Amino acid sequence: MMTYNIDVGYLEGLLRGYRAGILNSTDYANLTQCETIDDMKMHLSSTDYGNFLQNEPSPISTTTLAQKTTEKLVEEFNFLRMQAVEPLATFLDYITYGYMIDNIILVLTGTSHNRSSEELLEKCHPLGLFDSMATLCVTQSTSELYRTVLVDTPLGPYFGDCISLEDLDEVNIEIIRNTLYKAYLEDFHAFCMKVGGETAEVMGDILKLEADRRAINITVNSLDTDLDLKSREKLYPTIGLLYPEGTSRLIKATDLDAVRSAIDAFPDYRGLLSEGYDDDKTIEDQFFELEVNLNRLAFEQQFHYGARPDMQRAPTRTCPRRHASALAHRAAGHSPLDIHSTATARSAEEKFGCRAAAGVDAVVSQLGRGGAAPAFPCGRSKIIKSADL
């Protein structure tokens, strides 16, 4: 703590300055009045988004909006990364591992559906790119994938539990995804505990929530599949509020009622699947609010690294950009704007103090291109559908 500001104080100040740039209710009210994306460009230029679209010719497409804001995010993150010293540098590397997993699964799924490598690489998030990414498109099995590509990446050790899978079909790819995320979350959690102090406390809560979200989603998504209970158990992270008692109940769940019973003992999750609890909110919406609240609380403490993932991936970083993307689609006439959905998310934003830094996460980027969103999934739908590719 005595030397924290010497090593990290400058970056800490940048992050808290980013948080001060949150879009407020007036900003959103003005954006909903925009008839075109050019109108949005004019308004956003007076916010923290700045003139990031000034060199783009009119008319600006929603894809361009997503692309330019993604570039802004990557630029900011890479600046933080270059200025960081250990152990913060390794901590920031861990943040990129999630994007790497998303990119690998996206490429594998697209390759299995005979999509071109150029198209797939274009949809990959820049924060998850690595030198041998293009080689993924020509691999024929997970063993070849590991031997020629992934063994030299930070994800190499995570493939130990799923390398025995032979076929790159949709079911096995989903198992690979969840196995990788399990290993990633556990490794990231162990690193944060090793750092200790406030970082262990703040990041411990954030990673535990993510682990619980994945455990619940895996259970719900596998109810109507051929995945046996033993295989499902291997996909549950060994961290989180649900572990071990809650996950032991989820393992045995064979229907939604059993899932409700398994999580009923945990107040934060009790209402997730309750009938009539809040028909207007999905599981994703409720987890979204829980995560936003943890991200807000991260800024109430000092001398920790927990604010970094909040700014780069979590809802504090993404919800304003989701709104901007939705408004852009409406302004471009691509789809009607769901006022209630936007207002609900905005309400959570203002309540919990989310920040509106310039940039867009992988979800907005992929949706703008008509692709699959590689964010942490919620609900019963497949994470990546062949129709999305």
Side-chain angles (χ1 to χ4, degrees):
M1 183 181 296
M2 293 179 63
T3 61
Y4 179 88
N5 283 334
I6 297 176
D7 296 330
V8 189
Y10 172 57
L11 301 182
E12 180 81 10
L14 283 179
L15 288 173
R16 294 187 181 274
Y18 289 157
R19 186 177 184 239
I22 183 175
L23 295 180
N24 54 38
S25 298
T26 303
D27 293 320
Y28 283 117
N30 291 335
L31 288 175
T32 57
Q33 300 300 315
C34 295
E35 298 294 335
T36 66
I37 299 181
D38 287 319
D39 293 338
M40 293 183 62
K41 169 185 173 182
M42 183 180 301
H43 176 72
L44 290 174
S45 65
S46 64
T47 69
D48 271 18
Y49 282 81
N51 296 320
F52 70 110
L53 294 173
Q54 63 181 354
N55 296 325
E56 297 300 319
S58 299
I60 300 173
S61 67
T62 55
T63 301
T64 300
L65 178 65
Q67 179 181 357
K68 298 303 292 185
T69 48
T70 301
E71 291 175 0
K72 188 74 172 178
L73 165 66
V74 174
E75 178 184 347
E76 292 176 351
F77 181 82
N78 286 337
F79 179 80
L80 296 176
R81 207 172 176 185
M82 288 186 293
Q83 301 294 324
V85 297
E86 295 294 346
L88 177 58
T90 300
F91 183 90
L92 294 177
D93 288 341
Y94 269 103
I95 295 177
T96 66
Y97 296 171
Y99 290 107
M100 289 185 185
I101 294 174
D102 294 332
N103 286 349
I104 289 173
I105 298 303
L106 180 64
V107 171
L108 291 180
T109 305
T111 302
S112 67
H113 290 90
N114 301 317
R115 306 309 293 265
S116 67
S117 58
E118 294 79 8
E119 179 184 359
L120 294 174
L121 292 176
E122 181 184 353
K123 291 183 177 182
C124 290
H125 196 283
L127 287 180
L129 295 177
F130 49 87
D131 293 338
S132 55
M133 176 68 74
T135 312
L136 291 173
C137 302
V138 298
T139 54
Q140 300 298 320
S141 67
T142 51
S143 58
E144 181 184 355
L145 171 72
Y146 180 79
R147 186 177 62 256
T148 61
V149 181
L150 298 178
V151 68
D152 294 325
T153 70
L155 301 182
Y158 300 161
F159 265 79
D161 294 333
C162 59
I163 198 63
S164 61
L165 299 176
E166 295 297 329
D167 300 324
L168 292 180
D169 57 39
E170 193 165 329
V171 174
N172 284 344
I173 288 177
E174 289 305 316
I175 294 177
I176 292 174
R177 172 198 285 274
N178 285 288
T179 303
L180 288 175
Y181 262 112
K182 173 182 183 293
Y184 163 59
L185 289 175
E186 292 172 354
D187 191 25
F188 196 3
H189 182 267
F191 174 80
C192 293
M193 295 302 105
K194 182 178 179 180
V195 172
E198 297 295 328
T199 297
E201 178 182 349
V202 173
M203 285 304 302
D205 291 341
I206 292 174
L207 293 174
K208 286 176 183 178
L209 176 65
E210 189 55 53
D212 291 341
R213 170 159 52 184
R214 298 201 68 82
I216 293 173
N217 285 332
I218 289 169
T219 305
V220 174
N221 292 338
S222 63
L223 292 179
D224 299 327
T225 68
D226 296 331
L227 187 68
D228 59 76
L229 302 184
K230 185 176 181 180
S231 298
R232 183 200 297 176
E233 180 182 4
K234 295 179 180 179
L235 301 179
Y236 292 150
T238 56
I239 59 174
L241 298 179
L242 293 177
Y243 181 81
E245 181 179 354
T247 52
S248 65
R249 296 179 183 177
L250 289 175
I251 293 170
K252 304 173 184 177
T254 57
D255 53 41
L256 280 178
D257 289 336
V259 178
R260 293 190 188 101
S261 177
I263 64 177
D264 186 65
F266 302 88
D268 289 342
Y269 310 140
R270 185 172 297 158
L272 292 177
L273 297 172
S274 298
E275 296 181 359
Y277 174 75
D278 193 333
D279 295 335
D280 295 329
K281 291 184 179 180
T282 64
I283 296 178
E284 180 179 5
D285 293 332
Q286 295 174 70
F287 267 120
F288 183 83
E289 292 192 2
L290 289 173
E291 188 174 1
V292 168
N293 189 38
L294 288 180
N295 297 329
R296 177 190 64 83
L297 292 175
F299 282 93
E300 300 300 321
Q301 303 183 53
Q302 295 181 332
F303 307 111
H304 66 87
Y305 301 153
R308 277 79 184 170
D310 299 345
M311 287 303 182
Q312 299 301 327
R313 180 159 189 144
T316 54
R317 180 77 176 165
T318 64
C319 47
R321 299 192 301 277
R322 293 185 182 185
H323 303 163
S325 182
L327 289 165
H329 275 272
R330 186 206 63 165
H334 293 169
S335 61
L337 177 64
D338 185 351
I339 296 295
H340 174 77
S341 176
T342 302
T344 299
R346 184 176 71 242
S347 175
E349 231 179 298
E350 293 172 347
K351 177 180 179 181
F352 297 131
C354 306
R355 116 128 176 102
V360 67
D361 67 347
V363 178
V364 177
S365 176
Q366 300 295 4
L367 292 179
R369 295 187 175 95
F376 299 130
C378 291
R380 303 200 59 180
S381 59
K382 283 285 185 182
I383 299 173
I384 294 181
K385 301 179 180 179
S386 58
D388 293 328
L389 295 169

